[in-house]
Structure formats: C-alpha cells, structure tokens
C-alpha cells in the first residue's frame, strides 16, 4: 500500500486509536465509579420527582407538603435506605406504578382501601390549588371515568418526566466525561501530537502498540470480558467490551506520562502541547465503543493489505488471511 | 502441615477432575448462531425416534409434567429431544404423539433451547451424523422446549401454571445460573461453547421490566428484566437485568404486552444459553467466562 495508507501511517493511526480506546475505557470506568459514589442516578430521580410534586402547597400554608407526604408514604418510605438520609437514602429507580399508586392514595386521604374513579376525582378536586392538583385534574379528565386509565395516565406523566430526567443525566454524564477526559489527559500528559511524533519516530514503540491493538481487536481476556445492553429497550443488541489489562497500560508508558524530555515545554512548546491535549480530550470524550469500532475497522483494513505468508492460501483460492479477517470482522461487529 | 498441604492438593485435584468430568463441548455453526441468536423459536421436521406414552408425574424437580421425545432434524444436526410442557393440558398433541411410531416425520415448532443438562461423553458438533437414539432422553445439549406446534395443532395451552408442581426457588436457581463456568471461542464458520452441567430446569421468580419488549420479527418477544426472588422484591438477585424470552400467543406474552417498564410479573421459567451474548463474546481466542443465559417464560403465576 502506498500514499496516505502506507504501513507506517496505518500503524501510527492504529497505535493512536489504541491509546484513545484505553483512555476512553478508563474515563468510562471513572465516570461509573463517581456516579456510584455520588449517587448521581438517585439524585437525578429525586430531581425529577421534585419537579413533578413540589408545586403543591398544603392547605393554608405555602409549603411543599405534597412532596413531603409522598416521601412519607409507606410505598415510598419503604424504598429509602434505612439509616441514611438525602440522596444516599433515595432509590435509583422507582416504578411508574408505585409512583401512581402513592399519588392516588395521597389524593384520596379520606378513602382508605379500594377507590372508584369518582373518589379519585373528588379527592383531587378537594386538594388546594397548586401545580399537582392542576396536573392530576388534567390527567383524570382524559381517563373517561376509568380508574385504570387514570392510573395509566399518571404513570405516563411520571414516565415522560423520567425520560426527560434521563436526558438530564445523559447531558451531565457528557459534561463529566469531558472533565474526566481533561483531567486524565493532562494527568497522563496524553498529548496527541507528541504521541503521533513518538509513534512515527520509534518503530519499536509503534510495533508494541500495534501488537496490543491487534490483540485487543481479536481477543477477549478471560477475567475482564463483559456483555452489556447499552440500551435496555433493545434486548437484541448486547455488546461486549473489556477493561484495559495491566499489560496494555504498561504498553502506554512509552507514549504517555510526564517524562523528563516531554515535561520540558521548550521541547515541544506549550501551544503544540495544548493542541495535543485538546485533540486527546475531544477524542476520549467520544467514548470507548466508538474507538473500539474504529480500531476493528483499521485492523481489518491493515490485515486486508498484508501479503499472505509463504504457504498461506491466498484469498483467491477461498481461504487465508482475508477470509479470516472478514470472519473476525463479523465477530468484532457484534462486540462493537 | 505437610499432610494438610497434601490433603489440600488432593482436594483441589479432585475438584478439577470433577469439574472436567462434568463439562462438555458444543460446536455450533456460526450461521446457525447468527440465525437463531435473536429468535425465540425454531421450526423443524422432526423424525421422532423414541417417546414414552405418558407425561412425567408432577411434584418437583424432574417430575414436571413434561413429555419428551428423542428425534433427529436436519435443521438442527445435533442429538436432541423435543418436549411438551404441562402435557396433560395438551390432549390433542398427546394423542398424536401416542399414535406416532418410530421414524415418523412430524413438523414441530417450538422454543429452541441449548442447556448443558444432559451431558454425554463426547463433544457435540453440529452437522456431524447423529446416532439413532435408543432412549427418549439421550445425551443432548439441544432441545425444542417447549413445543409450540406439534403436527397441525398449536400447543399453547400448557403455558400456564403446572398444578401441584413445586418449582425451584429463584434464590436457589439464579445464583447457580449466574456462575456456570464456560469457555467460548469462535473460528471461521463455528462457535464453540464448553460448559459445566446446567441445573434447575424450572424456576419461579418475579421479573421487573427494565426496558420495552421487542419482537423478534417472528413469533417471539425479548425483554430485559430485573429478577427477584418470590416474596423478596427489595433486591434483585442477578447482577444485571437478564433477557427474557416470550412466545407470541401464550398467556405470558399476552400479559407482557400490557406491561410497562418497572411493572412486575410472577413467572415460571426455564433457562437457556443466550446465543446473542455468546456471539458478542466469541472471538478466535478462547474466553473463560460464565455461561450467558436467558429465561424462557412458560407461565404467569399468581401475584
């Protein structure tokens, strides 16, 4: 192969993508770890519920009584972690049916036990003027005197808000990903320009990273492979990805880090270093699945361009490297 | 101390041997995996070899009310059996089976099921000649279980609670499902799974939908769901949501279509290998992992 995609160029690209993939994988792991530490999902759910229920004053007083009553309801209080308070006690997930049942029960305090549609409607109408009352009235008006439909409408109200809350969570995660990527990039001095230069100038370092990249593309290490469903609404699309191994992280030591030569700003200049960091931050923010897919494609391109070894069947006779590469590509397509 | 070391090493060797003795390798064609990894069922023309005249009795464990037959099908190319669940509810199919003689070809549709339950002594390689079985329950890793159509008749009435049957508790079955060791690899045109023995055919558990159901484009639905032990719905007993398989036209599927994310259903299910996850994991280097599984939902149980 000549021109842009000669072997050295392709190997430098492959090495760079491998670095991006490992950094993005670490970034994702840190993000998940922080989400667990700070109960981000629980806080997000609490914000969504607050947005739904905090606009309802108690009769005669301008308080958020309905929200407090909601959390005091046995259906909800039973889900709070015992001995904890605030976000650490809040559940990460609440079923729409549980939400609707608790809200309907709170709206009909004088009707313990089974209720009718009329009970629910009159209970809501007897609530003091407020956002929750207005919203619930609108929801039951569309229920055609059917209690079951009224409950479904309240569940949909909750689900719609939770969908928006998922959007908030995603945006927050994107922001935190960029911040983590920035800290990781600067901390590890992951300067794209310097990485490219090192890979271009040092064939040994380049070969090491290419070897690791090809290995990552073709194999799954025993203890670290996992299968996940990125979107729970798509049960037909599991994906697998594995965490970086110590071996892989060690391979990065030649291109990352604050070595004596790279720590000296005079060696490369701050403008160039800032540009290199910026490129790395943008790349790492794209996420591990993206770079895993790109890595597989580049490995396949690289393998397709290789000359068959002596004695190896050529693609034209139905076997050999190209066929194997295509099969591997198919397998990796599942993983990506 | 020296004696203790020897005893420990002997124990470790015994455990390793015991594990190896109970493992078996299944080699599937990659085409088969791709075709069925996201399908609930399979249709075959089954050459029936051996079958009993009456279903299993009903109490617990293997006394589950099923009736099974051994047979061979070109579409499968593996030693196999096919089973009618809750067979006393399916008198038409039972009558047809009783009248079936050895070697009769019958169109059968049902849920494909790979599970390392009835291990043999040899690897099972799809497409190799299959010996004619001399029993209704030969060594097999592949089943059509439950059957949904036997000959001309649909077999869907049995997808209800099996009266007087005590299924395995979720807190017993699922911790086992979660830890069945397996080695998975792929090569050009094939996918290889080596696994230890699978147990606990019928488990009773509660599912909470974690996402929306998705049709397989044919006669099944898949949905991801959190799994809880019956009577203890505080904490899920699996590490993540697991995939559930439903057959269109059955009571569980009918109920599923009325449910939303977060809704719960008390069910009876049987495990099978999740080929979609196997496919996602399989590369040309062997991967040691736990056996990916999914649950076939065969009945809705009272809440």
């Amino acid at each position: 192969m000549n021109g842009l995609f000669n072997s050295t160029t392709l190997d430098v690209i492959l090495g760079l993508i491998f670095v991006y993939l490992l950094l993005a994988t670490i970034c994702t792991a840190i993000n998940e770890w922080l989400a667990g530490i700070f109960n981000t999902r629980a806080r997000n759910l609490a914000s969504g519920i607050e947005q739904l229920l905090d606009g309802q004053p108690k009769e005669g007083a301008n308080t958020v009584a309905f929200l407090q009553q909601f959390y005091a309801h046995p259906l909800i209080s039973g889900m709070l972690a015992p001995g904890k308070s605030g976000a650490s006690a809040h559940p990460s997930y609440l079923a729409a049916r549980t939400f609707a049942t608790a809200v309907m029960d709170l709206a009909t305090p004088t009707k313990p036990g089974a209720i009718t549609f009329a009970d629910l409607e009159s209970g809501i109408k007897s609530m003091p003027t407020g956002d929750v009352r207005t919203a619930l009235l609108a929801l039951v008006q569309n229920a055609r005197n059917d209690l079951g439909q009224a409950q479904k409408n309240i569940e949909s109200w909750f689900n719609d808000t939770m969908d928006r809350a998922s959007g908030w969570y995603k945006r927050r995660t994107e922001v935190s990903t960029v911040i983590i990527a920035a800290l990781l990039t600067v901390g590890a001095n992951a300067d794209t320009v310097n990485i490219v230069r090192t890979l271009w100038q040092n064939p040994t370092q380049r070969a090491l990273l290419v070897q690791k990249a090809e290995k990552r593309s073709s194999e799954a290490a025993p203890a670290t492979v996992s299968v996940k469903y990125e979107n729970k609404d798509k049960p037909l699309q599991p994906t697998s990805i594995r965490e970086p191994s110590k071996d892989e992280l060690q391979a990065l030591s030649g291109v990352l880090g604050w070595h004596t030569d790279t720590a000296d700003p005079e060696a490369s200049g701050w403008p160039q270093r800032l540009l290199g960091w910026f490129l790395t931050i943008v790349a790492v923010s794209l996420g591990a699945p993206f770079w895993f897919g790109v890595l597989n494609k580049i490995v396949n391109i690289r393998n397709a361009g290789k000359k068959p070894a002596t004695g190896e069947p050529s693609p034209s006779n139905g076997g050999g490297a190209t066929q194997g590469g295509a099969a591997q590509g198919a397998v990796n397509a599942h993983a990506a | 101390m020296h004696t203790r070391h020897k005893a420990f090493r002997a124990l470790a060797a015994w455990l390793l041997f015991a594990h190896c003795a109970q493992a078996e390798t299944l080699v599937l064609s990659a085409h088969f995996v791709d075709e069925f990894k996201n399908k609930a069922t399979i249709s075959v023309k089954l050459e029936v070899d051996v079958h009993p005249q009456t279903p299993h009795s009903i109490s617990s464990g293997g006394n589950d009310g099923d009736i099974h037959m051994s047979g061979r099908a070109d579409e499968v190319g593996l030693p196999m059996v096919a089973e009618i669940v809750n067979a006393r509810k399916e008198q038409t199919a039972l009558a047809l089976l009783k009248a079936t003689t050895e070697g009769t070809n019958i169109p059968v549709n049902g849920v494909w099921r790979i599970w390392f339950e009835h291990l043999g002594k040899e690897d099972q390689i799809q497409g190799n000649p299959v010996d004619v079985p001399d029993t209704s329950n030969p060594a097999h890793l592949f089943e059509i279980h439950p059957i949904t159509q036997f000959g001309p008749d649909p077999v869907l009435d049995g997808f209800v609670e099996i009266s007087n049957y005590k299924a395995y508790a979720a807190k017993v079955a699922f911790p086992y499902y979660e830890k069945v060791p397996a080695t998975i690899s792929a090569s050009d045109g094939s996918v290889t799974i080596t696994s230890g023995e699978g147990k606990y055919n019928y488990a009773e558990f509660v599912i909470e939908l974690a996402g929306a159901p998705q049709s397989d484009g044919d006669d099944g639905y898949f949905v991801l769901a959190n799994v809880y032990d019956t009577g203890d719905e505080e904490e899920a007993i699996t590490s993540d949501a697991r995939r559930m398989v439903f057959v269109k036209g059955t009571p569980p599927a009918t109920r599923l279509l009325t449910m939303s994310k977060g809704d719960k259903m008390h069910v009876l299910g049987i495990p099978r290998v999740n080929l979609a996850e196997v496919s996602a994991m399989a590369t040309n280097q062997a991967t040691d992992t736990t056996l990916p599984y999914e649950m076939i939902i065969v009945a809705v149980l009272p809440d």
Side-chain angles (χ1 to χ4, degrees), chain A:
Chain A
M1 294 175 80
N2 296 315
L4 177 63
F5 290 108
N6 63 35
S7 176
T8 304
T9 309
L10 213 51
D11 287 358
V12 168
I13 292 171
L14 196 56
L16 183 64
I17 289 168
F18 180 65
V19 173
Y20 287 160
L21 170 63
L22 293 197
L23 290 175
T25 305
I26 295 168
C27 188
T28 304
I30 293 173
N31 223 343
E32 285 296 314
W33 178 68
L34 290 176
I37 294 279
F38 293 112
N39 287 304
T40 315
R41 288 187 178 85
R43 285 176 194 276
N44 202 56
L45 175 62
S47 298
I49 292 173
E50 193 176 328
Q51 194 189 48
L52 283 174
L53 301 181
D54 72 347
Q56 183 60 40
K58 194 160 81 177
E59 197 164 7
N62 189 18
T63 67
V64 287
F66 197 87
L67 182 62
Q68 289 167 352
Q69 286 174 5
F70 176 79
Y71 279 114
H73 193 281
L75 279 176
I76 307 303
S77 63
M79 299 178 72
L80 304 179
K84 294 184 178 177
S85 60
S88 58
H90 203 279
S92 302
Y93 176 76
L94 180 65
R97 179 169 291 178
T98 308
F99 173 86
T101 306
V103 166
M104 288 164 67
D105 196 35
L106 290 173
T108 54
T110 59
K111 297 281 181 182
I115 59 168
T116 63
F117 181 84
D119 294 335
L120 178 63
E121 191 173 30
S122 76
I124 294 170
K125 283 179 177 171
S126 66
M127 290 168 69
T129 304
D131 290 350
V132 177
R133 178 181 183 275
T134 308
L136 290 176
L137 275 178
L139 292 168
V140 297
Q141 278 167 8
N142 290 328
R144 297 183 295 277
N145 293 328
D146 180 349
L147 184 65
Q149 186 59 48
Q151 174 157 350
K152 278 193 179 299
N153 289 352
I154 295 171
E155 289 174 13
S156 299
W157 179 46
F158 174 78
N159 283 332
D160 290 345
T161 303
M162 288 308 111
D163 286 345
R164 284 205 306 281
S166 296
W168 307 335
Y169 182 78
K170 195 178 171 192
R171 280 191 288 281
R172 276 195 209 119
T173 304
E174 285 167 356
V175 171
S176 63
T177 299
V178 172
I179 293 169
I180 293 165
L183 292 174
L184 194 62
T185 298
V186 176
N189 189 24
D191 170 355
T192 292
V193 177
N194 189 50
I195 294 168
V196 170
R197 185 191 298 120
T198 305
L199 291 176
W200 189 264
Q201 292 173 348
N202 185 343
T204 309
Q205 177 68 57
R206 190 169 66 236
L208 177 65
L209 283 190
V210 165
Q211 181 204 3
K212 300 290 178 195
E214 288 194 313
K215 200 174 171 194
R216 160 67 73 139
S217 171
S218 65
E219 80 164 23
T224 52
V225 67
S226 60
V227 176
K228 290 182 176 173
Y229 296 84
E230 301 293 343
N231 184 342
K232 293 280 192 283
D233 290 336
K234 293 185 175 174
L236 308 187
Q237 293 174 9
T239 55
S240 76
I241 198 158
R242 65 190 177 100
E243 309 294 320
S245 67
K246 283 183 184 173
D247 191 32
E248 289 174 333
L249 293 176
Q250 279 173 357
L252 296 185
S253 61
V255 291
L256 303 184
W258 290 91
H259 306 295
T260 312
D261 53 342
T262 56
D264 179 8
E266 295 303 319
S268 55
W270 278 104
Q272 184 183 296
R273 174 167 289 169
L274 290 173
L275 173 66
W277 285 350
F278 174 75
L279 291 174
T280 306
I281 292 166
V282 171
V284 172
S285 301
L286 292 174
F290 173 81
W291 288 115
F292 193 66
V294 175
L295 179 76
N296 288 330
K297 285 175 185 156
I298 298 292
V299 167
N300 284 339
I301 290 169
R302 188 174 179 278
N303 288 345
K306 275 184 179 174
K307 286 181 183 176
T310 309
E312 193 176 0
S314 69
S316 58
N317 63 16
T322 303
Q323 196 178 49
Q328 190 57 55
V331 168
N332 291 331
H334 297 308

Side-chain angles (χ1 to χ4, degrees), chain B residues 199-213:
Chain B
K199 293 182 184 174
Y200 305 126
N201 252 3
Y202 282 98
E204 174 186 356
F205 53 104
V206 173
I207 59 171
E208 177 191 62
L209 299 199

Side-chain angles (χ1 to χ4, degrees), chain B residues 4-20:
Chain B
R4 273 190 197 170
H5 273 176
K6 272 188 173 176
F8 176 76
R9 283 162 66 178
L11 177 64
W14 178 80
L15 287 171
L16 183 64
F17 175 80
H19 167 73
C20 292

